[in-house]
């Protein structure tokens, strides 16, 4: 915390001290670039952290600018006029949240479509701003907007902008280091995994977009009194594009990058504009070179600055995570005549199968038998064409990953699905928070200290989990399998779906994983459904085996019974197909 | 281990950082058919992709007719006489059957496919149809015919009989043997013993990314193979 | 009344055909290669300037077509080599890079020709009487040429092995390499074709619109959303998108106002992006 304060104060002091040294002209210029920087800061958060590229932030700047302009025009020198700033800000944030939540609801990987929708919206906003003269002043815009009451000259306003920018940077910095920031990076990394842990991905993404747009709103609210003029150009797509360029040039993955991008491009333009008639070609080339050679933006060049905004090595006090409300029985699931078709291909052809008394159910079958599809249709990743799926006695009409997860089903995928760009600790933390956070917990950094007896036991069994600062992408295939298994287990589910959990594991790792599964099964009174090809493993784990073939139930029973079954032998060797 | 026509030498590799295949060597002589067996997920397909240039090996080398082809593009390998038929996505779904076959020929005639059409009349009937509408087994046949018709000296085929009915598997075996007589070599990843019994000169069984067993087909009886394959 | 309807109908067909011509290059680059070439409009603009130069030099107007194709093709070659391939044809990265490219091309043209509007004279003047209504001859010629170009490209794409190979490469790049398609070279040539086609479209529309460095921006917006509505990578999608967007623009512009036509286009695009992000006729 002390670190955080010192850094924030340093940045603020820097921002406040420049203009007296540079004079009124630069106070005006920098004030404008800072305003752009505010909007770019938001783009950095949405794009660089949550993976949502907004192509139409100019629209939010414009809306806030028009609202503030009207506020200032109506209220004049009354101090109430200041209320226009937060009002404009909150208004666009709410609009942005509603829009994004609506678009993201129930859909995954909508990224490119969403970007294009924001582009279309800002193009429309530009037309509206041009045409709706009564409110926007039309093509000429709103003119002679009074400044903020009590602030005289560009220098006064500069201080206000600088303070607000400093506070915004500190706020964004805080958010990105809070649990919500980790969740934002997690959605950009692996939306599906997050949904399968039970998070509402649409709301998490919409929140990022809302914060970004709120910052664009703040930029717009300050733009009106700073420029004393608001024109439709703010909603033009050239301006929105410039904001994206600022974020890309500066470094979208960092907090300060987008702000620095706005200032550098702004100052560069101002300096070049006077000296070279074709300065814009230089800017365009500069941008292209950054895209090609510096995908991380200018911030990759300023390592010391990056340190200033990033490293935070605080050892947090460990605390036991709040318990999850648990039902102590294991979960049952039944498929009744379930049919799945993708295009012309039949995948499940009237599958009927149900869990019984057994704790560990192994599903086997040759390639294309529909084993993974069975788990997919149950967790809402494949649409069903007919039949019923009953989980815990209740019909699941429209299964969705987060809904199924909230019923207590955890899933581990065939190819390990973790958050590769997050560290081991962050991966584990995201899983541990799932279903345990309440209220404003996601803003409390105390959550990073959470642990649970189950997690401690897994750490004891698998030493590499202790190396918490390693990114998951640096783990071996086998370690990632184990990490994902751990993540699934520490959500303390009632049912665990495992798809070839030991694929790619060495013999020692396989043994350790089987031991862990068996231990957790007893600990959590867990039902485990495993898809497995390795009969050695099936023999060691299964209480009951179900054989699928061509999307249908073929046989079940104990391992020995299934192995003796002539039909089962036939489909495996293929002679009589 | 040198002297083979197609040499896979100490290949290791996989997807991304995952090492699925560990230090595998297989040598195939001219006119030899090697069948690669093993349970799902032991790295057979990955080995085929590593050998044909679709994945870059982490270590090891591949030689074709004494020429090093490690790291070469598949399209280049084809001109050197190495054909590959994948296990998945085996045909171009949005091209017709005829287009799938004539894609790389300047004239669009299908005359030279007549022998194959005689063997698999089903394909001939469907030549105007989009390949995406074929059944899984029919796609496999189409892919097999495409590969065989390239006339390469070395063919790597990944699970050619998945979903193919018995009679057609027998015909596939006959066509392969005819090509083999003409001097072609094959590496066939396979689960179906119907084909293996008919074509294999040598059998290699993989487990956990490594070669578990390699023997002449005549030395192995069916029970031994089954022990490695079935449940 | 009937005559008016007839002219109006012709206008709809005209708008749809011209838009299809303008979209064609983008459909090749974005629909087939998945490269979001934001600078597509600038290639159209360069084509229009080529027409301007050819006309100013007193050469026959049709010469502008090969000239524009050549210039835009060469620029396309350089862009593919220096921008698109290094970025591995990734949609997101190429979007950013071509955004910068668009800026660069606009400014370079501005450097050479200034900001002002240039006008290209209509090479074929006069009008033709159709069922008692006169209709500009150049528009008719354009419609015929556009229809011919589109039809022949359609036939070529369906029949020639190259068309099939592009479809094959895009649909299944791994298998394409396996059957011997040199995917890298094919992708490059396809990209160049797309930019050259944009140049040709620029020549065709140059006499109908003020030629200036920023003219590409309107074209890219319309082309882009026509593809979004129609669907990427299919001929049916190209025609459906061009007809819906072009026809809508034409009818609403005449009946209400150009602004409402534009807003309607954006609204439809947003609805499509939301509910049917792959368009009406997506690639299978």
């Amino acid at each position: 915390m002390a670190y955080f304060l010192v850094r924030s104060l340093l940045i603020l002091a820097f921002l406040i001290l420049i203009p007296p040294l540079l004079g009124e002209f630069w106070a005006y210029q920098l004030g404008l670039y800072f305003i752009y920087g505010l909007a770019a800061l938001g783009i950095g958060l949405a794009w660089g952290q949550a993976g949502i590229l907004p192509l139409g932030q100019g629209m939010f700047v414009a809306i806030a600018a028009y609202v503030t302009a009207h506020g200032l025009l109506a209220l004049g020198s009354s101090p109430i006029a200041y209320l226009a700033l937060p009002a404009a800000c909150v208004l666009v944030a709410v609009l942005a949240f509603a829009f994004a939540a609506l678009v993201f609801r129930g859909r995954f990987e909508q990224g490119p479509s969403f970007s294009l929708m924001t582009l279309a919206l800002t193009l429309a906003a530009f037309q509206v701003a041009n045409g709706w003269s009564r409110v926007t002043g039309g093509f000429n815009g709103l003119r002679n907007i009074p400044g903020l009451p009590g602030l005289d000259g560009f220098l006064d306003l500069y201080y206000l902008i600088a303070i607000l920018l400093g506070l915004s940077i500190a706020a964004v910095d805080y958010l990105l280091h809070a649990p919500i920031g980790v969740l934002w990076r997690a959605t950009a990394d692996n939306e599906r995994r997050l949904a399968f842990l039970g998070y509402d991905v649409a709301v998490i993404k919409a929140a990022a977009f809302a914060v970004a747009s709120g910052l664009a709103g703040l930029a717009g609210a300050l733009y009106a009194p700073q420029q004393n003029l608001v024109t439709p150009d703010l909603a033009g797509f050239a301006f929105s594009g410039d904001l994206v360029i600022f974020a890309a040039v500066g470094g979208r993955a960092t907090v300060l990058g987008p702000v620095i991008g706005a200032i550098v491009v702004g100052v560069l333009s101002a300096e070049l504009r006077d000296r070279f008639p074709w300065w814009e070609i230089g800017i365009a080339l500069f941008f292209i070179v950054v895209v090609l050679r510096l995908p991380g933006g200018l911030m990759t060049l300023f390592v010391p600055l990056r340190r200033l905004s990033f490293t935070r090595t605080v050892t947090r006090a460990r605390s036991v995570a709040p318990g999850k409300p648990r039902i102590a029985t294991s979960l049952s699931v039944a498929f009744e005549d379930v049919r799945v078709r993708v295009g012309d291909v039949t995948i499940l052809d009237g599958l009927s199968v149900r869990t019984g008394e057994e704790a560990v159910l192994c599903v086997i079958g040759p390639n294309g038998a529909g084993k993974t599809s069975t788990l997919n249709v149950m967790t809402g990743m494949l649409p069903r064409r007919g039949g019923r799926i009953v989980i815990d006695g209740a019909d699941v009409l429209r299964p969705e990953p987060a809904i199924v997860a909230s019923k207590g089903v955890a899933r581990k995928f065939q190819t390990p699905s973790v958050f590769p760009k997050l560290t081991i600790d962050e991966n584990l933390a995201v899983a541990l928070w799932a279903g345990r956070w309440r209220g404003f917990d996601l803003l409390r950094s105390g959550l990073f200290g959470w642990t649970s007896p189950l997690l401690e036991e897994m750490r004891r069994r698998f030493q590499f989990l202790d190396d918490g600062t390693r990114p998951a992408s640096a783990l071996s295939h086998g370690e990632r399998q184990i990490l994902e298994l751990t993540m699934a287990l520490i959500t303390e589910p009632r049912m665990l779906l495992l798809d070839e959990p030991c694929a790619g594991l060495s013999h020692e790792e396989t043994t350790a994983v089987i031991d862990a599964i068996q231990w957790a099964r007893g600990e959590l009174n867990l039902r485990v459904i495993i898809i497995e090809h390795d009969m050695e493993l099936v023999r060691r784990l299964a209480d009951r085996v179900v054989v699928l073939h061509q999307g249908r139930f073929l046989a079940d029973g104990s391992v020995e019974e299934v192995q003796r079954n002539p039909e089962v032998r036939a489909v495996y060797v293929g002679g009589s197909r | 281990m040198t002297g083979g026509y197609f040499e896979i030498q100490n290949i290791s590799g996989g997807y991304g950082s995952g090492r699925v295949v560990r230090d595998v060597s297989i040598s195939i002589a001219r006119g030899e058919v090697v069948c690669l067996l093993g349970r799902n997920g032991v790295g057979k397909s990955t080995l085929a992709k590593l050998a044909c240039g679709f994945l870059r090996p982490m270590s090891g080398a591949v030689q074709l007719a004494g020429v090093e082809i490690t790291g070469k593009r598949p399209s280049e390998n084809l001109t050197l006489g190495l054909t590959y038929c994948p296990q998945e996505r085996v045909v171009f779904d949005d091209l017709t059957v005829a287009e799938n076959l004539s894609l790389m020929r300047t004239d669009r005639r299908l005359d030279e496919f007549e022998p194959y059409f005689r063997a698999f009349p089903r394909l001939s009937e469907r030549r105007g149809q989009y390949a995406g509408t074929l059944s899984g087994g029919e796609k496999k046949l189409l892919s097999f015919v495409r590969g065989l018709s390239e006339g390469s000296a070395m063919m790597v085929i990944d699970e050619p009989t998945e979903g193919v009915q018995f009679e057609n598997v027998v015909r596939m075996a006959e066509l392969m043997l005819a090509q083999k007589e003409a001097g072609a070599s094959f590496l066939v990843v396979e689960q179906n013993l119907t084909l293996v019994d008919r074509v294999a000169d040598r059998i290699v069984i993989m487990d956990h990314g490594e070669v578990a067993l390699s023997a002449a087909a005549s030395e192995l009886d069916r029970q031994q193979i089954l022990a490695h394959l079935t449940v | 009344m009937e005559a008016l309807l007839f002219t109006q109908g012709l206008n709809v067909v005209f708008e749809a055909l011209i838009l299809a011509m303008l979209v064609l290059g983008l459909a090749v680059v974005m629909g087939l290669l998945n490269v979001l070439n934001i600078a597509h409009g600038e290639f159209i603009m360069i084509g229009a300037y080529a027409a301007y130069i050819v006309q100013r030099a007193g050469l026959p107007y049709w010469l502008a077509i090969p000239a524009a194709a050549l210039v835009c093709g060469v620029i396309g070659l350089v862009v593919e080599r220096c921008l698109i391939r290094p970025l591995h044809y990734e949609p997101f990265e190429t979007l950013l890079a071509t955004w910068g490219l668009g800026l660069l091309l606009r400014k370079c043209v501005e450097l050479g020709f200034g900001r002002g509007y240039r006008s290209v004279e209509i090479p074929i003047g006069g009008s033709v009487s159709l069922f008692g209504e006169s209709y500009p001859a150049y528009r008719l010629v354009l419609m015929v040429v556009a229809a011919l170009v589109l039809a022949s490209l359609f036939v070529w794409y369906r029949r020639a092995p190259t068309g099939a190979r592009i479809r094959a490469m895009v649909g299944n790049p791994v298998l394409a390499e396996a059957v011997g398609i040199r995917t890298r070279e094919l992708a490059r040539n396809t990209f160049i074709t797309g930019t050259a086609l944009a140049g040709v479209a620029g020549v065709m529309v140059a006499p109908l619109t003020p030629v200036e460095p920023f003219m590409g921006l309107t074209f890219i917006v319309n082309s882009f959303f026509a593809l979004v509505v129609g669907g990427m990578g299919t001929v049916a999608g190209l025609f459906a998108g061009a007809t819906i967007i072009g026809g809508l623009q034409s009818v609403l512009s005449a009946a209400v106002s150009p602004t409402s036509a534009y807003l309607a286009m954006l609204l439809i695009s947003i609805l499509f992006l939301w509910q049917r992000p792959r368009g009406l006729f997506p690639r299978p």
Side-chain angles (χ1 to χ4, degrees):
Chain A
M1 203 62 197
Y3 238 64
F4 174 70
L5 277 180
V6 168
R7 185 172 59 240
S8 306
L9 285 175
L10 268 177
I11 292 172
L12 203 58
F14 175 72
L15 292 178
I16 290 176
L17 286 178
I18 314 175
L21 304 173
L22 293 174
E24 184 108 317
F25 171 75
W26 277 105
Y28 165 75
Q29 288 285 347
L30 281 175
L32 185 60
Y33 305 148
F34 285 1
I35 288 173
Y36 294 162
L38 271 171
L41 179 67
I43 292 178
L45 184 146
W47 184 22
Q49 306 294 326
I52 310 161
L53 169 59
L55 290 175
Q57 287 307 86
M59 174 179 69
F60 294 115
V61 177
I63 293 175
Y66 280 116
V67 168
T68 313
H70 277 291
L72 291 174
L73 284 167
L75 298 167
S77 56
S78 156
I80 306 171
Y82 274 101
L83 285 179
L85 269 68
C89 239
V90 169
L91 174 75
V92 292
V94 168
L95 279 178
F97 183 86
F99 168 70
L102 197 65
V103 172
F104 289 133
R105 169 77 41 220
R107 286 182 170 81
F108 287 117
E109 270 109 45
Q110 274 280 72
S113 296
F114 184 80
S115 300
L116 293 180
M117 284 166 91
T118 57
L119 176 65
L121 275 178
T122 200
L123 291 170
F126 178 70
Q127 288 299 323
V128 171
N130 258 320
W132 200 12
S133 312
R134 209 160 45 79
V135 173
T136 63
F139 177 72
N140 292 319
L142 295 175
R143 294 161 167 279
N144 305 321
I145 300 163
L148 286 163
L151 295 185
D152 228 9
F154 291 122
L155 211 54
D156 281 4
L157 192 57
Y158 171 87
Y159 286 130
L160 177 69
I161 296 171
I163 289 168
L164 286 176
L165 177 65
L167 289 177
S168 300
I169 291 172
V172 168
D173 195 45
Y174 180 85
L175 284 177
L176 296 190
H177 288 97
I180 183 72
V182 176
L183 292 182
W184 282 334
R185 278 184 287 136
T187 76
D189 224 10
N190 191 345
E191 252 177 66
R192 252 175 227 212
R193 173 34 78 204
L194 204 57
F196 271 97
L197 288 170
Y199 287 97
D200 191 336
V201 176
V203 167
I204 292 174
K205 285 162 75 180
F209 187 60
V211 174
S213 304
L215 287 167
L218 184 58
L222 291 170
Y223 183 92
Q226 210 250 0
Q227 294 287 305
N228 308 111
L229 168 76
V230 178
T231 66
D233 284 341
L234 281 181
F237 92 102
F239 178 60
S240 290
D242 285 344
L243 293 177
V244 171
I245 289 182
F246 298 153
V249 165
R252 61 185 194 254
T254 60
V255 179
L256 279 182
V259 179
I260 288 182
I263 297 170
V264 167
V265 175
V267 172
L268 215 61
S269 307
E271 284 293 304
L272 291 176
R273 188 181 289 133
D274 299 335
R275 287 171 210 182
F276 306 100
W278 307 108
W279 58 278
E280 280 154 302
I281 290 180
I283 298 283
L285 281 174
F286 176 65
F287 176 64
I288 290 174
V289 168
V290 169
V291 171
L292 279 176
R293 296 268 164 247
L294 280 180
L298 293 177
M299 283 304 273
T300 34
L301 300 177
F302 305 133
V303 183
L305 266 181
R306 210 159 56 137
R307 274 214 199 99
L308 194 66
S309 78
F310 247 146
T311 41
R312 179 185 293 185
T313 43
V314 187
T315 44
R316 291 192 182 78
R318 287 265 160 107
S319 64
V320 175
K324 254 183 156 174
R326 276 187 57 80
I327 304 165
T329 57
S330 63
L331 207 60
S332 71
V333 61
F335 276 56
E336 289 174 20
D337 195 32
V338 173
R339 288 165 195 282
V340 174
R341 283 172 70 79
V342 172
D344 293 328
V345 185
T346 299
I347 293 178
L348 293 186
D349 189 14
L351 175 68
S352 295
V353 66
R354 60 173 61 237
T355 52
E357 296 298 312
E358 77 283 346
V360 178
L361 173 68
C362 279
V363 181
I364 64 171
N367 275 344
K371 303 180 295 291
T372 302
S373 301
T374 304
L375 300 191
N376 279 346
V377 71
M378 178 182 159
T379 51
M381 285 175 73
L382 265 180
R384 173 175 38 146
R385 285 284 179 87
R388 299 201 314 151
I389 297 174
V390 183
I391 299 178
D392 205 15
D395 234 352
V396 186
L397 296 174
R398 282 196 55 192
E400 261 179 50
I403 293 173
V404 177
S406 68
K407 284 176 174 288
V409 179
R411 180 166 180 190
K412 196 214 144 301
F413 289 86
Q414 194 167 4
T415 42
S417 169
V418 295
F419 304 108
K421 287 182 192 147
L422 268 51
T423 63
I424 293 177
D425 271 350
E426 286 169 334
N427 269 281
L428 294 171
V430 170
L432 196 62
W433 300 334
R436 288 195 173 92
W437 66 275
R438 297 280 172 271
F440 290 97
D441 273 355
L442 292 180
L443 301 179
R444 291 200 306 121
S445 53
L447 260 68
F448 288 104
W450 277 9
T451 181
S452 78
L454 206 67
L455 176 57
E456 288 309 312
E457 174 64 24
M458 290 302 277
R459 281 203 170 112
R460 202 186 56 72
R461 285 170 183 262
F462 302 101
Q463 296 294 321
F464 79 94
L465 292 175
D466 272 333
D467 196 1
T469 52
R470 262 171 94 197
S473 57
L475 298 179
S476 75
H477 180 82
E479 287 171 330
R480 257 178 282 167
Q481 295 275 45
I482 293 165
L483 174 62
E484 196 194 8
L485 176 70
T486 309
M487 288 164 69
L489 277 178
I490 60 179
T491 62
E492 300 184 8
R494 295 170 64 200
M495 178 186 283
L496 181 62
L497 309 178
L498 300 172
D499 201 341
E500 298 194 35
C502 298
L505 296 193
S506 69
H507 284 290
E508 300 79 52
E509 285 171 327
T510 303
T511 309
V513 163
I514 290 179
D515 284 350
I517 292 173
Q518 272 167 339
W519 168 79
R521 188 190 75 190
E523 193 77 1
L524 292 171
N525 191 13
L526 186 68
R527 184 191 298 281
V528 189
I529 299 180
I530 306 182
I531 293 176
E532 192 47 75
H533 286 115
D534 192 333
M535 284 315 286
E536 180 55 36
L537 239 114
V538 174
R539 212 165 283 126
R540 287 166 68 180
L541 275 167
D543 299 323
R544 174 176 165 230
V545 180
V546 166
V547 189
L548 302 188
H549 180 51
Q550 294 184 340
R552 277 190 297 264
F553 173 86
L554 183 74
D556 74 335
S558 69
V559 179
E560 292 73 28
E561 283 165 354
V562 164
Q563 278 180 317
R564 277 197 303 272
N565 189 323
E567 275 186 286
V568 174
R569 291 185 78 83
V571 302
Y572 266 88
V573 186
S576 61
R577 259 190 279 189
Chain B
M1 282 290 280
T2 51
Y5 184 69
F6 187 62
E7 288 275 353
I8 299 172
Q9 294 160 349
N10 307 96
I11 284 276
S12 295
Y15 300 89
S17 61
R19 188 191 291 256
V20 182
V21 170
R22 298 159 212 245
D23 197 29
V24 170
S25 298
I26 296 175
S27 169
I28 300 171
R30 248 211 126 100
E32 188 185 21
V33 179
V34 173
C35 286
L36 184 59
L37 279 65
R39 273 187 290 260
N40 288 324
V42 296
K44 304 181 302 270
S45 294
T46 311
L47 176 66
K49 286 182 194 162
L50 287 166
C52 296
F54 291 90
L55 290 174
R56 196 171 277 275
M58 292 170 185
S59 60
V62 186
Q63 285 185 0
L64 179 70
V67 180
E68 169 105 18
I69 60 163
T70 327
K72 281 210 165 104
R73 292 162 69 182
S75 57
E76 226 171 313
N77 287 340
L78 182 67
T79 62
L80 296 171
L82 173 62
T83 280
Y84 169 77
C85 297
Q87 185 200 355
E88 285 168 336
R89 308 201 61 209
V90 295
V91 295
F92 297 111
D93 285 349
D94 37 357
L95 264 53
T96 63
V97 170
E99 281 176 319
N100 262 281
L101 292 174
S102 66
L103 188 62
M104 299 311 287
R105 282 151 217 267
T106 35
D107 62 345
R108 324 189 106 238
R109 301 173 66 88
L110 294 171
D111 297 355
E112 65 176 287
F113 292 100
E114 279 310 323
Y116 300 111
F117 284 149
R118 273 199 298 281
F120 309 115
R122 194 96 173 127
L123 282 187
S124 179
E125 288 162 23
R126 306 206 158 201
R127 50 177 103 174
Q129 211 170 308
Y130 282 105
T133 62
L134 300 179
S135 79
E138 288 165 339
K139 285 183 185 174
K140 279 287 181 184
L141 283 182
L142 178 57
S143 162
F144 178 77
V145 168
R146 188 273 300 166
L148 223 52
S149 71
E150 281 167 4
S152 294
M154 178 69 217
M155 278 187 73
V156 177
I157 318 180
D158 198 345
E159 304 229 356
T161 64
E162 211 178 347
V164 178
Q165 67 197 57
F166 180 75
E167 306 82 59
N168 282 337
V169 175
V170 175
R171 289 203 190 96
M172 286 168 108
E174 286 163 5
L175 288 168
M176 281 175 68
L177 289 174
Q179 203 105 328
K180 178 189 153 178
E181 285 305 306
S185 315
F186 289 85
L187 175 64
V188 188
V189 176
E190 193 43 274
Q191 309 245 22
N192 186 332
L193 295 185
T194 312
L195 184 76
V196 175
D197 281 345
R198 283 170 171 76
V199 298
D201 296 314
R202 198 148 54 84
I203 287 174
V204 175
I205 296 178
M206 275 181 78
D207 202 6
H208 286 98
E210 289 161 15
V211 172
L213 182 75
S214 172
S218 52
E219 290 169 12
L220 279 175
D221 65 26
R222 206 172 169 124
Q223 284 310 315
Q224 281 173 289
I225 300 173
L226 284 181
H228 276 97
L229 293 186
T230 52
V231 290
Chain C
M1 190 60 203
E2 268 175 33
L4 193 70
L5 268 182
F6 176 72
T7 323
Q8 199 39 252
L10 263 188
N11 279 337
V12 170
V13 176
F14 174 77
E15 289 290 340
L17 277 173
I18 288 299
L19 184 56
M21 255 328 278
L22 290 167
V23 176
L24 192 57
L26 189 65
V28 169
V29 169
M30 183 160 110
L32 294 182
L33 298 175
N34 300 329
V35 169
L36 297 173
N37 182 14
I38 289 281
H40 173 70
E42 276 61 52
F43 284 98
I44 295 175
M45 178 266 291
I46 289 170
Y49 272 94
Y52 170 75
I53 295 166
V54 165
Q55 195 171 61
R56 271 276 301 270
L59 296 168
Y61 191 74
W62 63 266
L63 269 181
I65 290 180
L70 185 72
V71 172
C72 290
V74 168
I75 299 175
L77 176 69
V78 174
V79 168
E80 197 273 343
R81 192 67 199 82
C82 302
L83 285 186
I84 311 296
R85 198 190 301 172
L87 295 172
H88 307 290
Y89 282 79
E90 288 287 335
F92 232 42
E93 279 72 15
T94 52
L95 170 84
L96 288 179
T98 53
W99 186 300
L101 175 71
L103 214 64
L104 185 69
L105 292 176
R106 282 199 293 275
K107 288 300 158 188
C108 286
V109 169
E110 198 181 320
L111 177 66
F113 296 89
R115 190 92 187 236
Y117 287 17
R118 310 274 161 159
S119 63
V120 173
E121 278 169 46
I122 292 177
I124 302 162
S127 55
V128 178
S129 174
L130 285 171
F131 303 99
E133 281 294 308
S134 71
Y135 201 78
Y138 183 65
R139 285 183 152 231
L140 279 180
V141 171
L142 264 195
M143 279 160 77
V144 173
V145 171
L148 282 177
V149 170
L150 290 165
S152 51
L153 262 169
F154 176 68
V155 171
W156 172 82
Y157 180 66
R158 282 278 141 196
R159 303 204 62 130
T162 318
R165 281 176 205 166
I166 297 173
R167 271 182 288 151
M169 170 180 73
V170 174
N172 193 339
V174 174
L175 185 59
E177 268 290 327
V179 304
I181 295 172
R182 305 180 69 79
T183 47
R184 209 185 296 152
E185 290 76 6
L186 185 59
R188 179 196 65 205
N189 295 345
T190 310
F191 184 82
I192 295 172
T193 308
T195 57
L197 281 172
V200 172
V203 174
M204 292 171 70
V205 296
L208 303 174
T209 169
V211 175
E212 45 103 10
F214 284 76
M215 66 188 281
L217 293 179
T218 27
F219 293 127
I220 181 69
V221 169
N222 289 0
S223 311
F224 208 72
F225 288 120
L227 276 184
V228 162
V229 169
M232 310 271 176
T234 60
V235 178
L238 169 66
F239 282 119
T243 308
I244 293 174
I245 298 292
L248 191 81
Q249 295 260 31
S250 165
V251 171
L252 279 183
S253 297
V256 193
S257 71
T259 310
S260 53
Y262 184 73
L263 284 176
M265 175 191 79
L266 292 174
L267 186 70
I268 287 179
S269 306
I270 290 173
L271 286 177
F272 265 88
L273 283 166
W274 180 18
Q275 292 298 333
R276 210 185 158 98
R278 282 158 57 75
L280 280 175
F281 297 98
R283 205 165 46 215

